[in-house]
Every structure is written in structure tokens, then in C-alpha cells.
């Protein structure tokens, strides 16, 4: 009889708070020395210092983004950093941000995602058994391939291009006359090595961090689509955190956003030169207006799917 209240109190504590010494793992698909690594490290530093190491963060590379997301839903994974590549298959409201040539530049993309437009989409995750802490970023994507210099859409004809498992991107590459081949990031390098695909597209930070220059000769600065990313946590973890720890996670996510964006900006400044130095042939002047014209039928389809007004609200966003 006497120990009962103690037992109940201990049980309540164990449900409400992580036990002492709890370690949570953040997965992400890139090397430590990357814009995702920077985000994960900043997140870890804030969580560990603010909880005096009561919650420790372990960072683990795991390069199948879809599987990382599924692990959060099932509860076998704790946290993950992922591009929006496969996310629209889980949370369809995210797809509008995957439209090509939607954002003018980094300031525009970051501004929209930080505004009510982007924040509203984050509230859609819990209904899909996921919790999104913050928008981070992957960067503007550029085309690489092993066959030829690509300057305009005509050069894309018949090119087999690996895309992410993303309906919007696949639709775009079909409209451009390429043959989109969706696959997980984990399959990308083997597919390029074996010639299953001729090309792929990724932001400069990813091409540099993953040494894609070793398997691709030509780089065209198409900047055809901005690639947002997310820091997500499993509801299984989130729902057990105290309100104070949730606040720590939110602050840690802010630190992750800053570290991530700074690193993307830095990689954008130095990456192209670095890739030239590693031997890539880089085409900096690409006829992007021809790409946009070639996408006209796809833009019409997205207007019907996502609402022309919703798209225009994103396009016309301006910094205050
Ligand atoms: O999130 O799959 C991709 O091409 C992504 O850009 C990469 O995994 C980083």
C-alpha cells in the first residue's frame, strides 16, 4: 500500500518525460560534412546543452529518405532530415512547393517557407502520423549527365534522368522530353555507374558532398526547381516530451535551420569552382526561359491540381 503512490508517480514520470540518459537518433542521407550534417550537428548541440545531456542526440547516415520517414511513422525511428523528394507521397499538401521555377531565389524560397504559407503546411503532418519541426533546405537543383552538354530542353530529349520518387518532378521531366526514372538516393550512384540512367539532378551542396563528379561529366546550372527539406520527429517521441523539452526541440530546430541555410549559401558560393577543379564541364548559362516554355502544359496541370491562386500566392510573395 505504501509503495503504490511512488510507483504511480514513477510510472507517470516515465510516460511524461524521457528517462535519464535517453539517446535519440537523427537520420539523414548525406555525409557529415554537408548542409544536412550542419543542421543535425546544430540540433544536437542545442538539445544536449539545454537538457544537460539528459537527452543525447546520435547522428546517423541513412540514405533512403522514404524508409527514414516510414520509420518515424512506425516508431522505429526518432528524427530525420529529408528533402521533400518522397514527402508528398505522405503529406500531399507539400507537393505545391516541388513545382519547378516556383521560387526566384533563396530569399524567396526561405521567405515563403517561413511565412504563414509554409508554416500552415507544417500543421498538416500530424494527421499523417508525422511531426515536422522546421523547413530546412536542400537547395536549387541542377542537372548533371554523362552524355552531353545540356543548354536547352532539346538537349534533354531521350535522356534517362534519375528523379526522386516525386510525382511533380517526374511530370516535369516527362514534359521536357526526358525519361524520368524515379529511385531512392541510395540507388543513385550504382545506377549512374552501371549506366541504368544517364543523368540526375541535385543541388550543388549534394553534388559536392557526395562526389557525384566521379560519376558524371557534365553539369548544367538549370536551377530548375528549389528542393525544400524538413526536420521531422516521430509522434512516438514528440508526444512523450514534456512541454519544456518540446520548447528545447523547437529552439534546436531553429539553430538547425540557420546552420543549414548558411552552409547551403557557402556551398553555392564555392561549389561550382570546386566541381570544375574536380574535372566537371560546367555550363553556367542555360536557357531557362526555354525550359519554362517547355513546361507550359505541366504548369497548366499543376494549376488545376493545386489551384492557380495558391500558386500565384507563392509566386507573388515579396519580402516586407
Ligand atoms: O536530400 O534524393 C535526392 O536526390 C535528394 O536531393 C538527396 O537525397 C538529399
Amino acid at each position: 500500500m505504501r509503495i503504490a503512490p511512488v510507483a504511480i508517480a514513477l510510472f507517470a514520470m516515465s510516460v511524461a518525460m524521457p528517462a535519464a540518459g535517453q539517446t535519440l537518433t537523427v537520420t539523414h542521407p548525406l555525409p557529415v560534412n554537408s548542409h544536412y550534417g550542419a543542421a543535425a550537428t546544430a540540433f544536437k548541440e542545442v538539445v544536449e546543452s539545454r537538457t544537460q545531456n539528459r537527452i543525447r542526440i546520435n547522428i546517423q547516415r541513412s540514405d533512403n529518405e522514404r524508409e527514414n520517414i516510414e520509420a518515424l511513422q512506425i516508431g522505429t525511428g526518432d528524427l530525420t532530415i529529408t528533402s521533400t523528394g518522397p514527402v508528398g507521397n505522405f503529406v500531399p499538401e507539400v507537393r505545391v512547393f516541388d513545382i519547378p521555377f516556383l521560387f526566384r531565389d533563396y530569399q524567396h524560397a526561405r521567405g515563403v517557407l517561413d511565412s504563414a504559407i509554409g508554416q500552415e503546411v507544417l500543421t498538416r503532418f500530424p494527421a499523417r502520423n508525422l511531426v515536422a519541426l522546421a523547413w530546412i533546405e536542400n537547395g536549387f537543383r541542377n542537372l548533371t549527365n554523362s552524355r552531353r552538354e545540356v543548354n536547352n530542353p532539346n538537349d534533354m530529349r531521350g535522356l534517362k534522368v534519375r528523379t526522386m520518387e516525386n510525382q511533380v518532378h517526374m511530370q516535369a521531366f516527362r514534359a521536357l522530353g526526358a525519361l524520368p526514372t524515379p529511385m531512392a538516393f541510395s540507388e543513385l550512384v550504382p545506377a549512374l555507374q552501371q549506366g541504368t540512367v544517364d543523368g540526375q539532378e541535385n543541388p550543388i551542396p549534394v553534388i559536392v558532398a557526395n562526389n557525384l563528379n566521379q560519376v558524371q561529366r557534365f553539369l548544367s546550372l538549370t536551377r530548375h526547381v528549389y528542393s525544400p527539406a524538413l526536420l521531422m520527429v516521430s509522434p512516438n517521441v514528440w508526444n512523450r516530451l514534456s512541454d519544456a523539452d518540446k520548447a528545447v526541440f523547437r529552439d534546436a530546430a531553429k539553430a538547425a535551420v540557420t546552420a543549414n541555410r548558411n552552409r547551403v549559401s557557402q556551398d553555392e558560393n564555392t561549389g561550382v569552382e570546386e566541381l570544375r577543379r574536380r574535372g566537371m564541364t560546367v555550363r553556367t548559362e542555360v536557357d531557362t526561359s526555354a525550359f519554362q516554355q517547355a513546361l507550359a502544359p505541366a504548369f497548366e496541370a499543376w494549376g488545376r491540381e493545386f489551384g492557380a491562386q495558391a500558386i500565384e500566392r507563392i509566386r507573388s510573395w515579396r519580402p516586407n
Side-chain angles (χ1 to χ4, degrees), residues 12-30:
M13 271 174 67
S14 72
V15 168
M17 287 191 303
Q22 183 180 8
T23 298
L24 299 173
T25 296
V26 182
T27 55
H28 71 82
L30 301 178

Side-chain angles (χ1 to χ4, degrees), residues 103-110 140 223 226:
F103 298 110
R104 294 178 296 278
D105 51 27
Y106 279 104
Q107 187 190 28
H108 184 198
R110 294 168 182 178
F140 280 91
R223 296 168 62 87
Y226 175 79

Side-chain angles (χ1 to χ4, degrees), residues 29-30 35-36 63 65 81-86 138 141 162-165 183-186 188 200-203 206 210 227-229:
L30 301 178
H35 54 308
Y36 288 178
D63 56 6
E65 295 187 323
I81 290 172
T82 177
S83 73
T84 54
N138 194 17
R141 302 180 79 88
R162 175 267 177 177
T163 68
M164 298 194 288
E165 295 165 301
M183 61 179 78
F185 193 61
S186 50
L188 172 60
Q200 65 90 43
E201 39 89 57
N202 251 301
V206 175
N210 285 68
S227 183

Side-chain angles (χ1 to χ4, degrees), residues 225-238:
V225 68
Y226 175 79
S227 183
L230 290 146
L231 171 58
M232 297 199 282
V233 53
S234 168
N236 188 44
V237 169
W238 184 250

Side-chain angles (χ1 to χ4, degrees), residues 74 102 249:
I74 302 164
L102 180 68
F249 273 44

